[in-house]
């Protein structure tokens, strides 16, 4: 269909919707509906997520040209309505050219990170809906709140960020409360790779000079854990000892850190085995990692973390591999209910590093806890950030990680190893592929240990200042 006829039909659709509303409003059986909320209601990020529907699946099909940073294609969303809807929102920043809802052109508008979609006909509660969004833009030029999380590199780009990367590459219900499965298929010039989550289903060459990379992630996945990395990468793919696909990719420009990166990230299957012993079975269907010079941090992107090369500049670093892979349990499988619950991610992934150290004979968790506790004097601002409610500006402050891990050491000391690991494993099992709050974790810890733990968590997560030494080692009287 030509662009002109597409817009002509969109115009008709809008008229049709207006007529339907006038003719059938108040008539029995007509689903007139209300606009879906423009927020999922997370006080840390009021713009994040939307109301009125629940996404089941994203099918993201794109073409990316690194030379110009042109990203174009469609995202098809399979969702189910949770109310009668006259309109609904998606979170998206790139320029949209058309939206179809249940195969009919829909009216839409874009402002301030929200794509507002008004279907030709209202949507009834508890029905399946198919939304196709067509778009094209240059993501590195699209700023929101003064930044773009899309990183353009010499030969490609990265969409890897927390809490927000999706709005720069696909329209979504952008909040961990609404998880979905993914097919990500991206065509790029033959001399670069396009990497994403899960299993590489196939690569295909449909037109000369271009290769299409098709990935599939089959377990519920939060939007911030979906990623796209394009560029020149040295790819190693094989099978992990447990039979799962194991795919790693090292930037062709890593230089002297290449071997240290490989000596760390190639140990992912061993590290996942270790973590499975601690926390229960690995929740996902594939394993791996991507190491890139294009970012300054690491992120626990589902099934395949992405690491900055900076972690490997001075030699191997299994701690960061343990940290990002521990997030597969804490963050990816069990996701925050709201972003305030970030301790459930970072405190636990940091504590997993201590468990690994203990197993490797490089210092027990207690020794590492004592070191951190003594490192920060009582008047240090470190003790002023509350891991249990750090605020969006301090979501990734050291306190969330280190005081967060100290909290778990305090818990372990208070309840003993057996109860501690039962609490952790039960938490992971009960919230698998879902969400959890800090309050739910505290309640579970009290239930399993049979001990009152309110004061311990109050002291460690929700009270400014350096806890007294006895609380540091979790001695409860
Ligand atoms: N969850 C990541 C980690 O492994 C934190 C990334 C935060 N940095 C960022 N720029 N968003 O700790
Ligand atoms: Zn982390």
């Amino acid at each position: 269909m030509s662009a002109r006829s597409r817009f002509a039909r969109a115009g008709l659709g809008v008229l049709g919707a207006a007529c339907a509303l006038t003719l059938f409003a108040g008539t029995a059986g007509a689903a007139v509906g209300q606009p879906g909320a423009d927020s999922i209601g997370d006080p840390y990020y009021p713009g994040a997520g939307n109301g009125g529907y629940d996404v089941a699946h994203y099918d993201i099909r794109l073409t990316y040209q690194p030379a110009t940073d042109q990203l174009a294609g469609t995202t098809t969303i399979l969702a189910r309505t949770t109310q009668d809807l006259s309109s609904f929102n998606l979170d998206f920043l790139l320029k949209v050219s058309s939206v179809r809802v249940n195969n009919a052109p829909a009216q839409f508008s874009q402002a301030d990170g929200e794509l507002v979609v008004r279907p030709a006909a209202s949507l009834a509660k508890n029905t399946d809906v198919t939304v196709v969004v067509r778009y094209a833009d240059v993501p590195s030029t699209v700023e929101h709140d003064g930044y773009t999380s899309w990183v353009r590199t010499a030969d490609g780009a990265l969409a890897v960020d927390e809490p927000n990367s999706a709005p720069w590459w696909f329209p979504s219900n952008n909040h961990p409360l609404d998880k979905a499965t993914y097919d990500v298929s991206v065509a790029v010039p033959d001399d670069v790779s396009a990497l994403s989550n899960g299993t590489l289903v196939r690569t295909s060459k449909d037109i000369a000079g271009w290769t299409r990379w098709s990935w599939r992630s089959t377990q519920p996945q939060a939007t911030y854990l979906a990623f796209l990395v394009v560029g020149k990468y040295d790819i190693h793919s094989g099978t992990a000892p447990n039979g799962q696909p194991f795919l790693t990719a090292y930037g062709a420009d890593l230089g002297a850190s290449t071997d240290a990166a490989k000596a760390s990230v190639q140990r992912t299957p061993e590290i996942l085995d270790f973590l499975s012993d601690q926390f229960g079975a690995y929740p996902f269907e594939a394993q791996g990692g991507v190491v890139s010079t294009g970012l300054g941090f690491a992120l626990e992107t589902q099934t395949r973390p992405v690491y900055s090369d900076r972690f490997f500049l001075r030699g191997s670093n299994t701690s960061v591999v343990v940290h990002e892979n521990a997030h597969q349990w804490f963050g990816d499988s069990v996701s925050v209910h709201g972003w305030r619950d970030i301790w459930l991610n970072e405190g636990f992934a940091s504590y997993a590093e201590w468990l690994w150290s203990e197993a490797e004979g490089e210092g027990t968790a207690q020794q590492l806890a004592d070191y951190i506790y003594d490192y920060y004097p009582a008047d240090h601002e470190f003790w002023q950030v509350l891991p249990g409610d750090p605020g969006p500006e301090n979501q990734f402050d050291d306190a969330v990680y280190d005081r967060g891990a100290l909290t778990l050491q305090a818990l372990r000391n208070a309840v003993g190893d057996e109860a501690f690991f039962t609490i952790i494993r039960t938490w992971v099992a009960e919230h698998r592929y879902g969400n959890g709050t800090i309050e739910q974790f505290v309640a579970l810890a009290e239930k399993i240990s049979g001990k009152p733990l309110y004061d311990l968590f109050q002291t460690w997560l929700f009270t400014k200042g350096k806890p007294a030494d006895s609380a540091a080692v979790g001695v409860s009287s």
Side-chain angles (χ1 to χ4, degrees), residues 10-163:
L12 264 183
V14 172
L15 267 180
C19 286
L21 284 171
T22 324
L23 288 175
F24 296 116
T27 308
V32 172
Q34 300 289 316
D38 61 3
S39 166
I40 212 161
D42 188 326
Y44 273 33
Y45 299 100
N50 307 286
Y53 63 92
D54 190 73
V55 177
H57 184 71
Y58 294 97
D59 186 296
I60 304 168
R61 188 175 172 91
L62 303 170
T63 298
Y64 181 66
Q65 172 52 271
T68 56
D69 195 38
Q70 276 281 344
L71 183 71
T74 57
T75 289
T76 301
I77 297 172
L78 304 182
R80 193 164 175 86
T81 56
T82 56
Q83 65 173 76
D84 291 343
L85 285 170
S86 57
S87 69
F88 62 88
N89 284 33
L90 291 163
D91 301 309
F92 198 42
L93 290 164
L94 305 186
K95 192 168 179 5
V96 172
S97 60
S98 75
V99 180
R100 297 176 73 90
V101 177
N102 294 337
N103 290 304
Q107 193 185 7
F108 65 91
S109 62
Q110 290 186 267
D112 203 27
E114 300 287 331
L115 168 61
V116 183
V117 178
R118 174 177 274 277
S122 289
L123 306 173
K125 181 179 177 174
N126 292 331
T127 54
D128 290 333
V129 51
T130 303
V131 183
V132 183
V133 181
R134 182 175 297 276
Y135 50 99
D137 213 331
V138 178
S140 63
T141 66
V142 178
E143 290 207 349
H144 186 61
D145 291 340
Y147 82 110
T148 171
S149 90
W150 179 269
V151 175
R152 197 179 169 190
T153 63
D155 53 22
L158 296 89
V160 177
D161 206 0
E162 183 181 9

Side-chain angles (χ1 to χ4, degrees), residues 58 60 169 182-186 196 213-216 227-228:
Y58 294 97
I60 304 168
W169 68 291
Y182 288 71
D183 276 300
V184 174
S185 175
V186 182
S196 189
W213 299 67
S214 299
W215 300 85
R216 171 168 288 174
F227 80 96
L228 176 63

Side-chain angles (χ1 to χ4, degrees), residues 42 162 175-179 222 224 330-346 395 434-437:
D42 188 326
E162 183 181 9
H175 193 278
L177 271 179
D178 191 357
K179 302 196 207 181
Y224 81 98
F330 306 102
D332 296 16
S333 174
V334 183
S335 300
V336 294
H337 181 91
W339 283 108
R340 168 187 177 273
D341 298 308
I342 190 68
W343 169 70
L344 295 172
N345 291 8
E346 301 305 343
Q395 212 181 330
N435 301 81
T437 66

Side-chain angles (χ1 to χ4, degrees), residues 388-400:
D389 192 6
E393 65 287 354
N394 286 322
Q395 212 181 330
F396 303 105
D397 190 271
D398 286 346
V400 178

